[in-house]
């Protein structure tokens, strides 16, 4: 009797396999299937196009002039942040003040002309950790400022001599920002309301274009493909780096550059090329002509779009860009002064609160002392303590809206302590951030532009920055920087209050 056998083939997982890497590789044994899919998707369609093999361009470099009164801070060598943010007296570090004071004191003693014992000549207002030396010796900076009155020999200072010219103070205490005007071949580059920090081509606005008649330089070089993480490779059968997934970055309004990158990858693939342009720091670089020579022997003249540009300085031509020498990875010191400013709607005041002075936190100093107990009767019934108003902490300074020179400004006032039998004015502001040097100590000692105070408040910090110029020399300056806050400072003020006091 004949027998019939059915043969069945079944794919079954091998439970003895412990390596999952091979399964994730998704191996395909038939490469022709990939070619067929590429043919169906139109990936085999080509264009009768060429590739760029050489680029010729003509460029101009116009230097940016130093600011008036600051020849030592040349934009071609000094970082732009140091030029804008430097303030008079930056050279006098705590160490130089101490060493110069000791050197002059010793030289004056040796010459038989001891220095006068004046408090203004002593060390004071030193930041942490030098504050322990306040009043212990002479201040070299103060002695240098009084050298003519005291008839001090310049040789007594030794090498501790400041530069011949001090940098100009470009900080506007009313706007809480920096403002400056640079020039380059008659063109003004205006820096408006710079908050401090990084400064680049987008920080300035020009009032016109450069003279097109200036002579340029010719350059010829080879272009290269644009490379970025996750970019498609130019050849077939090359696997891209899977560590960067461009599609994993969802584009939204906050990631416009990511949206442009995805559009570049999808539509242009690997057809983007780049070439270097010789530039110098502290110059305005202009590309006059750019000619691309392709592999077919044809020349193509490029021109920037007239209605859009990713890198452009307002007022200059589309083919011009401001190149600054910027501070790359500077050394940032600790906060010296810190002030928060905001509008208190309940109190109808603007509060400026000093949180850090000379590197030391003063937040704990703002805690009001314990209220004195009220007078209690012998019956043991609760008594009441009359408070004319709630106490204003020490480092809280009020600003009221007044008219100054036909302009509405927030003007600094002084709170009063009404806890005693007579009103006593609270201490004045100590931070330089809340003092206008141009006031001369007269009212108003400090005023604020209302538009400079946002609804959520602003934080202003002051710290030391150390970087290097393009020639390798160190550059030290003091930076003032404003940053937004989440909530403004507020103080609940209560007037004519009767506070119950429980019997002891």
């Amino acid at each position: 009797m004949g027998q019939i056998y059915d043969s069945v083939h079944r794919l079954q997982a091998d439970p003895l396999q412990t390596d999952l890497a091979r399964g994730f590789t998704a191996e395909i044994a038939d490469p022709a299937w990939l070619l067929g899919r590429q043919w169906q998707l139109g990936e085999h369609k080509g264009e009768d196009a060429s590739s760029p093999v050489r680029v010729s361009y003509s460029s101009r470099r116009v230097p940016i002039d130093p600011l008036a009164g600051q020849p030592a801070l040349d934009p071609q060598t000094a970082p732009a942040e140091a030029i804008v943010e430097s303030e008079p007296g930056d050279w006098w570090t705590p160490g130089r003040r101490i060493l110069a004071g000791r050197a002059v004191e010793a030289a004056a003693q040796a010459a038989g002309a001891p220095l006068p014992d004046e408090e203004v000549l002593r060390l004071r207002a030193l930041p942490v950790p030098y504050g322990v030396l306040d009043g212990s010796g002479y201040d070299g900076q103060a002695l240098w400022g009084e050298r003519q009155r005291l008839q001090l020999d310049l040789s007594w200072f030794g090498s501790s001599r400041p530069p011949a010219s001090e940098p100009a103070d470009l900080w506007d205490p009313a706007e809480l920002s920096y403002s400056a005007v640079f020039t380059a071949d008659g063109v003004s580059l205006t820096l408006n309301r710079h908050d401090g920090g990084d400064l680049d081509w987008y920080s300035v606005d020009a009032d016109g274009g450069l003279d097109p008649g200036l002579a340029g330089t010719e350059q010829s070089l080879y272009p290269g493909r644009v490379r970025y993480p996750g970019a498609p490779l130019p050849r077939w059968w090359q696997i891209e780096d899977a560590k960067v997934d461009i599609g994993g970055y969802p584009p939204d309004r906050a990631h416009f550059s990511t949206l442009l990158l995805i559009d570049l990858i999808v539509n242009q693939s690997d057809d983007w090329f780049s070439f270097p342009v010789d530039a110098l720091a502290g110059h305005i670089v202009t590309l006059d002509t750019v000619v691309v020579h392709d592999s077919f022997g044809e020349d193509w003249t490029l021109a920037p779009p007239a209605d859009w540009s990713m890198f452009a300085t307002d007022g200059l031509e589309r083919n011009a860009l401001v190149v600054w020498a910027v501070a790359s990875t500077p050394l940032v010191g600790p906060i010296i002064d810190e002030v928060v400013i905001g509008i208190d709607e309940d109190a109808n005041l603007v509060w400026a609160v000093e949180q850090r002075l000379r590197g030391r936190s003063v937040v704990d100093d703002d805690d009001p002392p314990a209220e004195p107990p009220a007078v209690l009767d012998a019956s043991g019934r609760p008594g009441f303590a009359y408070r004319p108003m709630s106490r204003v902490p020490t480092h809280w300074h009020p600003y009221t809206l007044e008219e100054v020179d036909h302009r509405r400004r927030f003007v600094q006032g002084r709170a009063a302590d009404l806890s005693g039998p007579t009103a006593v004015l609270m201490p004045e502001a100590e931070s330089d951030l809340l003092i206008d040097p141009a006031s001369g100590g007269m009212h108003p000692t400090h005023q604020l532009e209302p538009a400079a105070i946002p609804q959520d408040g602003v934080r202003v910090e002051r710290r030391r920055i150390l970087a290097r110029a393009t020639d390798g020399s160190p550059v030290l300056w003091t930076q003032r920087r404003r940053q937004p806050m989440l909530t403004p400072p507020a103080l609940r003020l209560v007037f004519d209050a009767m506070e119950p006091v429980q019997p002891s």
Side-chain angles (χ1 to χ4, degrees), residues 70 73 77-93 96 167-168 178 194 196-199 325-334 336 462-469 473-481:
Q70 297 187 177
L73 296 175
T77 56
E81 294 87 351
I83 300 175
V84 174
E85 298 171 353
S86 293
E87 59 184 48
D90 276 346
W91 186 88
W92 288 103
T93 61
R96 286 170 174 168
Y178 296 96
H194 179 56
D198 297 338
L199 190 147
V326 297
S328 178
T329 61
L331 297 179
V332 180
I336 301 176
R462 188 168 175 262
R463 63 179 74 207
R464 290 275 189 166
I465 306 293
L466 177 63
R468 291 193 179 274
S473 60
V475 181
L476 177 67
W477 73 94
T478 303
Q479 178 192 83
R480 286 164 287 191
R481 187 171 185 175

Side-chain angles (χ1 to χ4, degrees), residues 19-290:
D19 185 12
L20 301 180
R22 185 175 180 181
F24 283 106
T25 56
E27 298 178 358
I28 296 178
D30 188 4
W33 183 86
L34 289 178
L35 294 175
R37 291 298 295 171
Q38 290 174 343
W39 170 71
Q40 290 177 346
L41 297 175
E43 294 184 4
H44 291 169
K45 292 183 179 180
E47 298 178 356
D48 189 12
S50 60
S51 299
V53 296
R54 186 165 55 89
V55 175
S56 299
Y57 70 88
S58 175
S59 65
R60 290 174 291 151
R61 296 192 295 265
V62 177
I64 301 175
D65 303 325
L67 290 176
Q70 297 187 177
L73 296 175
D74 190 351
Q76 301 183 38
T77 56
E81 294 87 351
I83 300 175
V84 174
E85 298 171 353
S86 293
E87 59 184 48
D90 276 346
W91 186 88
W92 288 103
T93 61
R96 286 170 174 168
R97 292 169 59 184
I98 296 171
L99 294 177
R102 293 177 178 178
V104 174
E105 182 182 10
Q109 290 286 353
L115 299 175
D117 188 9
E118 299 179 5
E119 185 179 355
V120 295
L121 301 179
R122 294 287 182 176
L123 289 170
R124 55 179 179 174
L126 289 175
V128 175
Y130 304 96
V132 295
L133 298 177
D134 283 350
S136 61
Y138 286 94
D139 188 350
Q141 183 179 8
L143 293 176
W144 179 264
E146 299 289 340
R147 64 186 183 279
Q148 295 182 355
R149 179 178 68 87
L150 300 176
Q151 298 181 356
L152 302 179
D153 192 342
L154 295 182
S155 61
W156 294 354
F157 290 89
S159 59
S160 300
R161 300 185 188 180
S165 60
E166 293 281 3
D169 192 357
L170 304 179
W171 177 261
D172 188 347
E175 296 280 356
L176 300 177
S177 59
Y178 296 96
S179 298
V181 178
F182 295 85
T183 57
D185 191 41
V187 176
S188 297
L189 301 176
T190 304
L191 177 71
N192 283 323
R193 295 182 177 180
H194 179 56
D195 294 338
D198 297 338
L199 190 147
D200 216 326
W201 50 268
Y202 48 78
S203 302
V204 296
D205 298 329
D207 63 350
L210 297 172
D211 183 8
L214 297 176
T217 58
E218 301 286 341
Q219 294 285 340
S220 181
L221 41 82
Y222 300 104
R225 294 184 182 272
V226 174
R227 292 284 184 256
Y228 50 88
L233 298 178
R235 302 295 180 186
W236 294 110
W237 310 110
Q238 285 183 298
I239 305 301
E240 287 82 6
D241 186 5
K243 294 181 179 179
V244 179
D245 184 9
I246 301 299
Y249 294 93
D252 53 31
R253 293 177 296 176
H255 298 82
F256 181 67
S257 58
T258 304
L259 179 62
L260 292 180
L261 179 59
I262 295 177
D263 181 74
L264 165 67
I265 295 174
V266 174
N267 296 327
Q268 303 297 333
S269 184
D270 57 351
D271 296 335
W272 285 67
F273 294 81
S274 63
F275 62 93
V277 177
D278 289 340
L280 292 175
H283 286 71
I284 300 178
V285 181
T286 304
L287 281 176
D288 292 322
T289 58
V290 178

